[in-house]
Amino acid sequence: MSVWDSLVGQKPVIDMLSRIAQGDPSQITQSWLICGPPGSGRSNMARAFAAALESPDHGMSAEPTRVTQQVLAGTHPDVTVLTTNKVTIGIDQVREIITTSEQMPATAPWRIIEDVDRMLERTTNVLLKEIEEPAEHCIWLLCAPSAQDVLPTIRSRTRIVNLAVPSTQAVAGFLTSTTNVEPKVAQRAARLAEGHIGIAKLYATDERVMSDRDELVVGVLNLARASDAVLLAGNLIDNAKAQAEADANRITAGQEAEFRRINGLAPSDRIPPKLRGAFNQIAKKDDVKRLVTRRTRDVLDRALNSIASIYRDVAVLQNNAEDSVGLINLENRSSITELSVRLNRAGAVTRLDEVAHARKRLAGNGNPLLVFESLFCALIP
């Protein structure tokens, strides 16, 4: 199994990067921008490329080398991954990674650094000089949903790689090969996720998340009065916070378990006084609060995608395009057909615009409850 085998629906990009990794190291571009919609696997592609560049077998062996395993696990000394569970990446984190990038690699000819797209403009400006004049042994791998999400000054100094949206069949095949779910469940999860691999896996393996989505779709289709909108918005926000808190607790528990493992402590051992300060940093109240905020936003963004898929399906039926593009919400076909008759084509488009407007309001730190109350009222036929 090569380093590329876990990537879904990206063969043209894999073929290109694989050839580059096997070429002359001195000819490799030092600044890359890997773009793809959420769930397309852009961060995984960056890690695979890093592993192919670092590993002596260029990631092609059926049995992964130790270097490949280290890169993919995030433990290789020359591959630094900057990511965050918070809403944005802080400027201090970027300054720290720039300092790291200027150091000579410890064991390999290149120091490869993968970056992600959660940066404010002033933070990205700090990175610009390093992208313009990277250290001799440094390769930057930046990830973003699209090139337009990055400042033009950064974009113009990188080689852009665009990923495709994986097909439903490719995502379903990935789920059946990597999880224990039945093919029918995998197929449905892939269809509802609309090419987002991470969400597809979540739908396939977490019944609560799938159930919450089903309830949301039915709730939107049954909107008839303002009171329905208010109740549905309240339920959505409550479910989002519950999912976010569960995720945050799971992540914090995992970090605490890893801390104990690294320091040779059993789960029931007391934390020694000299380690207590470092241990307490894992579950700092402010950090956990930021993590919950980030996870809540992720859940609400997923909800907006689900809502938009309803009106996408309505438009598909109105334009007699089901045979060519299919429906996402097949389980709700009857209600969606009825809605496609009640709404005219302009009404369906207007409601898609309302979803996009709600997304912008959330991105601007609008009150989530008020944003969704307003959205659901606007969606009432």
Side-chain angles (χ1 to χ4, degrees):
M1 180 175 175
S2 79
V3 72
W4 309 103
D5 288 347
S6 63
L7 298 162
V8 182
Q10 308 295 345
K11 188 177 186 304
V13 173
I14 290 171
D15 289 345
M16 178 189 72
L17 295 184
S18 179
R19 287 194 302 271
I20 291 171
Q22 297 177 66
D24 182 357
S26 66
Q27 301 302 311
I28 294 176
T29 303
Q30 286 186 261
S31 299
W32 297 76
L33 178 58
I34 300 178
C35 301
S40 59
R42 56 183 184 259
S43 294
N44 289 337
M45 182 67 75
R47 290 172 187 259
F49 188 32
L53 288 169
E54 290 283 5
S55 179
D57 73 338
H58 304 298
M60 298 306 294
S61 297
E63 188 68 30
T65 66
R66 183 170 177 271
V67 171
T68 295
Q69 292 174 339
Q70 286 180 321
V71 172
L72 297 183
T75 58
H76 193 283
D78 292 332
V79 180
T80 303
V81 180
L82 177 57
T83 188
T84 184
N85 279 317
K86 300 175 185 177
V87 176
T88 60
I89 290 177
I91 197 167
D92 290 339
Q93 291 175 284
V94 176
R95 287 174 174 153
E96 182 179 348
I97 203 171
I98 288 172
T99 300
T100 302
S101 75
E102 295 172 347
Q103 300 171 3
M104 285 293 290
T107 61
W110 298 95
R111 176 177 296 281
I112 301 167
I113 300 176
E114 175 193 340
D115 203 0
V116 289
D117 59 299
R118 290 181 180 270
M119 290 187 186
L120 300 176
E121 183 173 340
R122 66 187 181 89
T123 307
T124 308
N125 284 328
V126 173
L127 186 62
L128 177 59
K129 186 176 185 297
E130 293 301 317
I131 297 298
E132 288 179 320
E133 301 175 8
E136 182 181 357
H137 294 281
C138 173
I139 294 179
W140 289 92
L141 299 174
L142 310 178
C143 299
S146 71
Q148 285 66 43
D149 291 309
V150 180
L151 287 179
T153 48
I154 295 282
R155 185 169 68 236
S156 63
R157 290 161 176 79
T158 60
R159 179 170 177 178
I160 298 174
V161 176
N162 289 305
L163 303 186
V165 177
S167 69
T168 296
Q169 292 302 324
V171 175
F174 171 76
L175 291 176
T176 54
S177 65
T178 58
T179 67
N180 294 322
V181 301
E182 298 178 357
K184 278 188 176 182
V185 175
Q187 186 70 27
R188 184 184 182 222
R191 168 168 48 81
L192 297 181
E194 302 178 68
H196 193 302
I197 300 167
I199 291 178
K201 191 170 184 178
L202 190 63
Y203 285 156
T205 58
D206 192 322
E207 291 184 7
R208 175 180 178 176
V209 174
M210 181 69 89
S211 176
D212 284 349
R213 186 194 187 280
D214 291 341
E215 290 179 10
L216 174 63
V217 170
V218 171
V220 171
L221 289 169
N222 288 334
L223 285 172
R225 54 185 69 87
S227 58
D228 296 334
V230 172
L231 287 173
L232 185 60
N235 288 337
L236 173 60
I237 299 303
D238 289 344
N239 288 340
K241 288 180 178 178
Q243 285 189 41
E245 289 170 357
D247 282 349
N249 290 336
R250 185 175 64 252
I251 291 170
T252 301
Q255 292 173 338
E256 291 178 351
E258 180 65 9
F259 181 91
R260 288 179 175 277
R261 186 192 66 79
I262 291 173
N263 290 283
L265 299 172
S268 59
D269 289 348
R270 295 186 63 181
I271 305 297
K274 63 180 181 180
L275 297 177
R276 200 166 293 150
F279 182 78
N280 290 339
Q281 289 294 314
I282 296 173
K284 284 178 62 177
K285 185 176 181 180
D286 287 346
D287 287 346
V288 173
K289 185 177 179 179
R290 291 191 192 99
L291 177 54
V292 170
T293 299
R294 158 75 187 280
R295 293 298 186 184
T296 301
R297 288 192 180 189
D298 290 343
V299 176
L300 295 179
D301 186 69
R302 192 165 70 238
L304 289 172
N305 290 338
S306 299
I307 296 165
S309 74
I310 297 171
Y311 298 98
R312 176 265 187 198
D313 285 350
V314 167
V316 167
L317 292 178
Q318 289 176 335
N319 290 279
N320 298 316
E322 184 178 1
D323 290 341
S324 57
V325 298
L327 295 182
I328 294 169
N329 301 285
L330 278 174
E331 296 77 12
N332 308 94
R333 192 184 190 288
S334 177
S335 297
I336 289 174
T337 300
E338 180 183 336
L339 185 59
S340 71
V341 174
R342 296 175 66 190
L343 295 177
N344 56 27
R345 294 184 181 184
V349 173
T350 297
R351 282 157 178 78
L352 286 169
D353 289 341
E354 291 288 352
V355 175
H357 181 58
R359 196 185 301 275
K360 287 181 181 179
R361 291 181 64 193
L362 283 177
N365 290 322
N367 181 291
L369 182 59
L370 296 180
V371 168
F372 277 95
E373 286 179 349
S374 175
L375 171 61
F376 291 148
C377 283
L379 297 180
I380 296 172

